Amino acid sequence: MSINIPKLPTIRDLDIREKKVLVRIDINSPIDPETGEILDDRRISVHGKYIKEMMKDYNPALVLISHQGRPGEGDFTSLEKHAELLSKYTGVTVKFVDDIIGPKAREEIRNLKPSEILLLENLRLLSEEIIEASPEKQALTMLVKKLSSNVDVYVNDAFATAHRSQPSIVGFPLSLPSCIGPVFEKEIQAITRILNSFESPRIYVLGGSKVRELLRVIENLMRNKLADRILATGLLAHLFLVAKGIDIGVENMKVLEEKGLLPLIPRARYILMRGAPIETPIDFKAKINGEVRNVYVGEIRGVIKDIGNNTVKIYGDLLKDAKVIVMRGPAGVIEEEEFRTGTLNLLESVYKSNAFTLIAGGHLGSMVDENRLNNRIHVSTGGNALLLFLSGEELPALKAMELSSKMFLGW
Ligand SMILES: Nc1ncnc2c1ncn2[C@@H]1O[C@H](COP(=O)(O)OP(=O)(O)O)[C@@H](O)[C@H]1O
Ligand SMILES: O=C(OP(=O)(O)O)[C@H](O)COP(=O)(O)O
């Protein structure tokens, strides 16, 4: 199976010096739903580092756009606090405006000078931004029309949103000379390294809560024969246990129901029947009568919040032999300290392994110990974007960028 990585324009191919540059970043971060505090700012710090370099090398006037959360969910918040953190990491005061396409935002953009940075409000306040459509349609949205006429070029540095065919990702490339940004470029380099390695076993450790997207990834991995083993954790493990006919208890079925995951059971069964190499945990951590207990499959009690001690050991042993590891999503509810052990122990196996490893996803990335990293481990800013690409899907952001380079750069 060969995955085609198109040649993409970078900021070295576009003249951005002293220009007004619209940069789509992804600073979507875990948020405490109670306090609205940003729980982990890794994506912000990574973008901050590269924006700082961009300012030093090209002195542009930067207009930053991003989303945060999804409407209706606890992490759907303003980007005001993100601007403060971006200021900290770039060393430049990042001005925030609580508007996106209205007169206030456009006035700020018009007045922006080289060496200044402006962050607009959460893009998903615009209903247009939630709708997925073709680049041609998205180029006609109000967002794209109103902002394009106020900037010179568009840079897509939101690798983590590259799998969404939303206007801020695929609309601007058809409207402005465009390129990918430095964060995006680094991700493509890491992916190329994985795709060029034909060593096995290739082990995927998949967890977290975005189960629907993970099933799509697993289907692609199987179709393209890219995974030797898939170790399920997080809510994905709940789903596959149920699909195997295992009783996970009423409380855990309720968790699946509340997350809208019950309709995915037949699809998970079909995946298993087709022989997907999916391993499920043999034990879990749950809180019973206020105490954290290790419970075994077959006698599950309480709400499962992490993988158990024996699963950690078995998964850890399997990872010892891996040549390539892709890890996505935490193994448990890492927001609660007592349920971080599974995730931290799996990461420990990664630090000790000799495999080339990709670590994907905001929550998992926040658990990584930066001091234990080496050049075999790439901590991606992307989650599902990375996995979908690695499993052979065409990313809308890349397709739009290819169209753009034909239109504006004559490539
Ligand atoms: N057993 C579990 N039960 C409920 N939620 C879980 C469980 N395991 C993990 N999660 C949740 O998954 C979420 C992170 O998933 P996801 O967004 O897919 O990961 P990432 O941000 O790394 O991409 C966390 O909020 C965590 O609480
Ligand atoms: O966090 C993100 O994706 P991820 O959870 O796959 O890493 C991106 O910001 C995309 O967010 P979305 O999945 O709400 O479109």
Side-chain angles (χ1 to χ4, degrees):
M1 153 87 195
S2 78
I3 294 168
N4 178 32
I5 300 187
K7 183 170 180 284
L8 299 165
T10 69
I11 48 176
R12 294 179 298 285
D13 298 304
L14 229 61
D15 178 17
I16 68 161
R17 184 169 302 282
E18 313 255 319
K19 292 273 168 66
K20 203 158 280 182
V21 184
L22 180 70
V23 189
R24 179 31 163 126
I25 54 176
D26 185 338
I27 45 175
N28 181 28
S29 306
I31 302 280
D32 183 329
E34 305 291 314
T35 62
E37 287 305 311
I38 296 170
L39 294 171
D40 175 71
D41 65 3
R42 189 172 181 279
R43 277 186 180 158
I44 305 176
S45 72
V46 172
H47 276 294
K49 174 178 163 218
Y50 286 101
I51 290 169
K52 192 174 180 179
E53 282 179 14
M54 223 191 286
M55 298 308 283
K56 185 169 141 269
D57 295 345
Y58 302 102
N59 195 36
L62 281 194
V63 181
L64 304 175
I65 48 173
S66 178
H67 72 279
Q68 169 62 57
R70 300 174 182 181
E73 296 192 5
D75 59 350
F76 184 57
T77 61
S78 162
L79 292 181
E80 195 167 359
K81 291 193 179 114
H82 300 60
E84 287 166 22
L85 288 166
L86 277 171
S87 303
K88 175 177 132 190
Y89 290 117
T90 55
V92 178
T93 303
V94 174
K95 192 167 180 195
F96 171 75
V97 57
D98 62 345
D99 187 16
I100 307 164
I101 55 173
K104 212 156 112 186
R106 284 179 288 143
E107 170 82 15
E108 292 284 355
I109 297 173
R110 273 194 295 272
N111 292 337
L112 201 71
K113 307 269 175 327
S115 82
E116 293 177 345
I117 309 178
L118 174 70
L119 174 67
L120 307 186
E121 183 53 289
N122 186 349
L123 285 171
R124 289 187 178 171
L125 278 164
L126 292 178
S127 50
E128 282 184 331
E129 179 63 8
I130 322 286
I131 301 165
E132 302 222 19
S134 66
E136 291 77 9
K137 279 201 173 151
Q138 303 293 31
L140 302 174
T141 53
M142 294 293 268
L143 171 72
V144 174
K145 284 191 193 160
K146 296 246 179 197
L147 295 189
S148 292
S149 54
N150 286 285
V151 298
D152 302 312
V153 294
Y154 166 80
V155 175
N156 185 354
D157 215 11
F159 174 75
T161 323
H163 56 314
R164 305 276 179 227
S165 200
Q166 291 165 343
S168 71
I169 299 292
V170 302
F172 289 110
L174 267 60
S175 168
L176 289 165
S178 303
C179 68
I180 58 165
V183 174
F184 210 125
E185 213 185 328
K186 273 257 173 292
E187 300 284 0
I188 296 285
Q189 282 164 2
I191 291 168
T192 309
R193 196 166 154 191
I194 283 258
L195 294 177
N196 288 342
S197 147
F198 290 97
E199 287 181 296
S200 60
R202 303 164 79 87
I203 302 187
Y204 284 70
V205 189
L206 304 181
S209 62
K210 290 182 179 165
V211 176
R212 192 177 300 276
E213 285 92 341
L214 286 178
L215 290 192
R216 197 162 114 199
V217 166
I218 293 171
E219 286 159 351
N220 287 336
L221 289 174
M222 286 171 62
R223 193 173 311 118
N224 296 318
K225 299 188 170 49
L226 288 169
D228 295 300
R229 269 184 204 277
I230 298 168
L231 313 181
T233 68
L235 288 177
L236 188 74
H238 286 50
L239 186 78
F240 276 108
L241 282 173
V242 176
K244 283 180 176 176
I246 290 165
D247 179 10
I248 61 167
V250 191
E251 287 153 300
N252 295 305
M253 286 301 282
K254 203 156 159 245
V255 173
L256 288 181
E257 188 184 358
E258 280 165 7
K259 304 261 179 200
L261 299 176
L262 290 181
L264 298 179
I265 295 169
R267 195 165 147 199
R269 268 195 205 120
Y270 187 64
I271 289 174
L272 288 172
M273 274 163 54
R274 288 176 57 215
I278 295 174
E279 315 295 340
T280 45
I282 57 161
D283 59 350
F284 291 98
K285 289 268 160 66
K287 210 171 210 170
I288 300 165
N289 299 329
E291 251 182 64
V292 178
R293 297 266 186 83
N294 206 73
V295 293
Y296 280 84
V297 167
E299 46 191 46
I300 294 175
R301 289 181 301 138
V303 178
I304 294 168
K305 292 205 172 175
D306 196 4
I307 54 171
N309 299 335
N310 286 293
T311 305
V312 164
K313 188 169 178 328
I314 293 168
Y315 280 10
D317 283 345
L318 291 172
L319 288 174
K320 273 185 199 153
D321 299 328
K323 290 286 189 295
V324 173
I325 301 172
V326 180
M327 205 168 173
R328 193 262 180 283
V333 181
I334 53 163
E335 291 84 350
E336 297 175 46
E337 208 163 342
E338 57 215 313
F339 297 113
R340 286 181 188 166
T341 325
T343 305
L344 292 175
N345 278 311
L346 291 178
L347 284 170
E348 194 59 42
S349 302
V350 162
Y351 305 140
K352 287 183 181 146
S353 138
N354 288 319
F356 182 61
T357 302
L358 278 185
I359 294 177
H363 285 83
L364 183 59
S366 73
M367 291 288 103
V368 167
D369 180 351
E370 301 281 337
N371 298 321
R372 308 284 304 279
L373 297 179
N374 54 50
N375 62 5
R376 285 183 302 94
I377 306 173
H378 173 72
V379 184
S380 175
T381 53
N384 283 319
L386 177 93
L387 261 84
L388 287 168
F389 192 33
L390 270 183
S391 62
E393 258 191 45
E394 183 179 55
L395 296 183
L398 300 191
K399 193 176 143 211
M401 203 49 78
E402 273 187 285
L403 288 172
S404 182
S405 53
K406 282 196 188 97
M407 283 170 70
F408 293 98
L409 304 176
W411 284 21

